[in-house]
């Protein structure tokens, strides 16, 4: 109680002091205290509390509470009164007479009432008692100013959907609903076998889950085989494989070779090689298993890894007598890979030394490993032709170890020697001995091929003429000699054919004052030749 009494005494003292101050001011001499309570409550500039409430209510009902207080920083409030407010240096007097109030709505430039949403709350004026007017001015929003999300959404025109589009969408929805319902019903409905196969072929919805018995599943497979459709056969085979025991599946699959072929193709295309190998073994097709393992062995890109893989395949099938020829071929390939690796390693050392003339003038452009046998023989003939047959890189040792034919050896060696322009080695290559110790020129590939190879390597005319003379057919010899401009061979062949007219015509093709022209003229003047024309 003591505390409450003290508070009331302090408030009374403050009020008394405040009233004494205002009663002593100059305003009190001309008018009563404006802060005194009247019948309608306290007043501010002559506006009572009740009138201020009516002013606020009028503003809220006119422009809306949200628009009124949306942006207080941009509101411009002006008070227009019919009274005069005067101030002096010694004392001031305030005279006011407020009697009526009215509301003036905002207008646009033409004077009409603005109702556009883009010019929201541009101006509003409320007047009370014909004396006090309150005006709110808010700048219009232009497109240069950032738009709010609400303005952007309102300004976007709504897309008009036509009745045709609505009808089209409803039709599509109904169609899709029917398809879904058909699919759901067909999933658990056992349709006739032919109908299901037809749906598979046409790409329509189907379900195989309703076929539970083995007879139905086999009927599906037989119907697919009868229709000769690969996709249907593959689908039914996989369904049978998934839903029956392995022994039953194998037993029924063996009876249907067409289904086996489609299953093999499916497993191969999907790289399911382990299951494919198991299928081959089940069918006792060991040759196919051998080929499959060999293709897997060729996967490593490096020669060393590939040689090891091929050797493992050979060891796996070494006890199968039916695959002995194939195993021999794989063993030779593995041996060739290992030999190529050894030759490549030794040749790198020789080339690094820089003393071998062939490696110095013609460095290798590619690696030797993983090349064919004939390419390996050509490589060895090019870089190691004169080596003894005991060397791994000798062409003769490669011919012997891999049982190459004379034609393979002659073709590879001749191309290598012709590129190096080793004419003496070529002559020795084509020279053979008879039983009596004599020698003669012999080309197992034919001297026509020899001349062709030598001409590609730009052999001299005398070298070409030497081997053209060993062609037995005169017409073919004449054509090749004329093609390569071996004039002496042409003249000798025409003399052999006793064709004086052709010899006369060919004289114009020989160079003037050349030995070939003189040789041709001498042949024409030979009276011992019995010309046929």
């Amino acid at each position: 109680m003591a505390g409450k009494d003290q508070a009331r005494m302090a408030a009374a003292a403050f009020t008394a002091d405040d009233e004494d101050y205002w009663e002593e001011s100059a305003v009190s001499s001309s008018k009563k205290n404006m802060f005194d309570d009247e019948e309608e409550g306290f007043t501010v500039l002559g506006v009572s509390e009740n009138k201020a409430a009516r002013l606020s209510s009028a503003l809220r009902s006119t422009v809306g509470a949200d628009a009124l207080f949306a942006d207080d920083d941009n509101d411009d409030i002006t008070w227009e009164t019919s009274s005069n407010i005067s101030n002096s240096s010694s004392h001031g007097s305030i005279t006011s007479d407020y009697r009526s109030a009215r509301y003036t709505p905002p207008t646009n430039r033409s004077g009409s009432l603005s109702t556009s949403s883009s010019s929201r709350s541009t101006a509003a004026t409320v007047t009370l008692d014909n004396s006090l007017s309150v005006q709110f001015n808010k700048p219009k929003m232009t497109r240069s100013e950032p738009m709010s999300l609400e303005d952007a959404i309102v300004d976007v025109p709504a897309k008009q959907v036509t009745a045709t589009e609505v009808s089209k969408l409803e039709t599509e929805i109904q169609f899709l609903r029917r398809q879904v319902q058909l699919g759901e019903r067909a999933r658990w409905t056992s349709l006739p076998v032919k109908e299901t196969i037809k749906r598979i072929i046409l790409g329509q919805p189907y379900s195989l889950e309703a076929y539970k018995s083995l007879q139905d599943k086999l009927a599906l497979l037989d119907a697919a085989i009868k229709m000769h459709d690969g996709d249907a056969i593959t689908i039914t085979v996989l369904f049978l494989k998934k839903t029956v025991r392995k022994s039953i599946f194998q037993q029924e699959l063996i009876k249907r070779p067409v289904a086996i072929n489609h299953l093999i193709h499916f497993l191969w295309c999907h790289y399911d090689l382990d299951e494919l190998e198991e299928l081959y073994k089940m069918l006792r097709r060991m040759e196919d298993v051998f080929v499959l393992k060999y293709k897997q062995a060729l996967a490593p890109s490096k020669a060393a890894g590939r040689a090891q893989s091929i050797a493992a395949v050979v060891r796996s099938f070494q006890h199968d007598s039916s695959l002995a020829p194939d195993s021999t071929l794989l063993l030779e390939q593995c041996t060739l890979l290992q030999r190529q690796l050894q030759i490549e390693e030794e040749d790198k050392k020789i080339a690094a030394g820089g003393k071998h003339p062939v490696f110095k003038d013609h460095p290798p452009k590619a690696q030797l490993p993983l090349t064919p046998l004939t390419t390996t023989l050509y490589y060895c003939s090019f870089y190691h032709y004169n080596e003894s047959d005991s060397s791994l890189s000798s062409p003769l040792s490669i011919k012997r170890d891999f049982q190459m034919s004379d034609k393979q050896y002659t073709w590879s060696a001749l191309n290598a020697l012709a590129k190096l322009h080793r004419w003496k080695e070529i002559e020795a290559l084509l020279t053979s001995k008879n039983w009596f110790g004599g020698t003669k020129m012999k080309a197992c590939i034919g001297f026509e091929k020899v001349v062709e190879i030598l001409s590609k390597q730009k052999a001299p005319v005398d070298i070409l003429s030497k081997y053209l003379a060993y062609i037995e057919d005169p017409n073919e010899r004449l054509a090749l000699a004329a093609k390569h401009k071996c004039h002496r061979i042409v003249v000798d062949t025409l003399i052999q054919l006793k064709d004086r007219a052709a010899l006369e015509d060919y004289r114009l093709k020989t160079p003037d004052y050349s030995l070939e022209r003189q040789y041709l003229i001498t042949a024409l003047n030979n009276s011992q030749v019995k010309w046929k024309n």
Side-chain angles (χ1 to χ4, degrees), residues 178-198:
R178 288 195 299 268
Q179 293 295 324
V180 171
Q181 292 175 359
L182 289 175
E184 290 294 332
R185 289 197 299 266
R187 180 179 180 183
W188 306 109
T189 303
S190 179
L191 298 176
V193 171
K194 292 184 178 180
E195 180 65 23
T196 301
I197 298 300
K198 181 179 178 181

Side-chain angles (χ1 to χ4, degrees), residues 354-383:
K355 297 181 180 180
H356 199 287
V358 181
F359 281 100
K360 185 177 180 180
D361 298 336
H362 304 279
K365 297 181 180 180
Q367 295 182 352
L368 179 61
L370 301 178
T371 57
L373 179 60
T374 53
T375 305
T376 304
L377 180 60
Y378 173 84
Y379 177 90
C380 294
S381 300
F382 194 88
Y383 292 103

Side-chain angles (χ1 to χ4, degrees), residues 9 18 32 63 78 87 101 118 122 175 177 200 255-256 283 318 336 360 392 400 407 411 459 466 519:
M9 292 175 62
D18 188 65
K32 67 177 181 179
V63 299
T78 60
N87 298 321
S118 62
T122 56
F175 174 75
R177 285 177 178 174
I200 294 175
K255 300 177 184 179
R256 297 166 176 83
L283 298 173
Q318 61 183 353
L336 177 62
K360 185 177 180 180
L392 292 175
R400 181 190 66 243
K407 289 185 177 181
W411 180 273
K466 181 178 182 179
Y519 183 76

Side-chain angles (χ1 to χ4, degrees), residues 219-487:
L220 277 173
L221 179 56
D222 294 334
I225 294 174
K226 187 176 181 180
M227 294 297 292
H228 303 285
D229 186 79
D231 293 339
I233 295 173
T234 303
I235 291 171
T236 53
V237 166
L238 294 177
F239 175 67
L240 181 65
K241 177 178 177 294
K242 181 180 179 181
T243 55
V244 301
R245 290 197 301 270
K246 185 176 181 181
S247 58
I248 299 176
F249 174 72
Q250 295 175 356
Q251 181 181 356
E252 298 296 335
L253 192 64
I254 292 175
K255 300 177 184 179
R256 297 166 176 83
V258 176
I260 292 175
N261 294 333
H262 282 81
L263 180 59
I264 290 173
H265 181 73
F266 175 81
L267 295 176
W268 174 257
C269 292
H270 288 76
Y271 298 98
D272 197 348
L273 302 181
D274 295 336
E275 189 171 353
L276 180 59
E277 181 182 353
E278 185 179 355
L279 177 62
Y280 281 145
K281 290 180 179 179
M282 181 267 293
L283 298 173
R284 296 182 181 180
R285 295 167 57 170
M286 300 308 298
E287 185 175 355
D288 292 329
V289 177
F290 181 82
V291 174
L292 179 62
K293 299 297 289 184
Y294 174 67
K295 290 181 178 180
Q296 290 179 294
L298 297 179
S301 58
K302 294 185 178 180
R306 186 175 297 184
Q308 295 177 1
S309 300
I310 294 175
V313 174
V314 173
R315 289 193 299 269
S316 301
F317 295 91
Q318 61 183 353
H319 300 296
D320 193 343
S321 58
S322 62
L323 300 175
D326 299 327
S327 299
T328 302
L329 293 176
L330 262 65
L331 184 60
E332 290 181 358
Q333 183 180 4
C334 182
T335 304
L336 177 62
L337 286 173
Q338 295 174 354
R339 192 162 188 168
Q340 288 173 345
L341 290 171
Q342 295 177 3
I343 295 173
E344 179 82 5
E345 184 178 358
E346 293 295 332
D347 288 351
K348 286 183 179 180
K349 296 179 181 179
I350 296 174
K355 297 181 180 180
H356 199 287
V358 181
F359 281 100
K360 185 177 180 180
D361 298 336
H362 304 279
K365 297 181 180 180
Q367 295 182 352
L368 179 61
L370 301 178
T371 57
L373 179 60
T374 53
T375 305
T376 304
L377 180 60
Y378 173 84
Y379 177 90
C380 294
S381 300
F382 194 88
Y383 292 103
H384 307 282
Y385 183 75
N386 294 323
E387 293 185 5
S388 62
D389 56 359
S390 61
S391 174
L392 292 175
S393 57
S394 172
L396 293 175
S397 66
I398 292 178
K399 176 189 176 184
R400 181 190 66 243
D401 296 340
F402 294 97
Q403 300 177 0
M404 299 184 70
S405 63
D406 292 337
K407 289 185 177 181
Q408 290 176 322
Y409 176 77
T410 302
W411 180 273
S412 300
L414 183 62
N415 277 277
L417 296 175
K419 189 172 184 179
L420 293 173
H421 293 180
R422 292 186 176 182
W423 314 124
K424 293 184 178 180
E425 283 85 350
I426 293 175
E427 184 177 358
L429 175 66
L430 300 176
T431 301
S432 61
K433 296 181 179 181
N434 54 24
W435 292 98
F436 303 100
T439 60
K440 66 175 184 178
M441 299 296 294
K442 181 182 178 180
C444 59
I445 62 174
F447 283 101
E448 298 85 356
K449 297 295 183 182
V450 173
V451 173
E452 181 181 354
I453 292 173
L454 296 178
S455 63
K456 288 181 179 179
Q457 301 299 332
K458 299 180 180 180
V461 175
D462 57 339
I463 299 296
L464 294 177
S465 301
K466 181 178 182 179
Y467 297 108
L468 280 170
Y470 292 103
I471 298 176
E472 296 181 358
D473 187 0
N475 294 321
E476 187 174 0
R477 185 196 323 140
L478 179 62
L480 288 175
K483 177 182 178 181
H484 299 294
K485 297 182 180 181
C486 298
H487 303 299

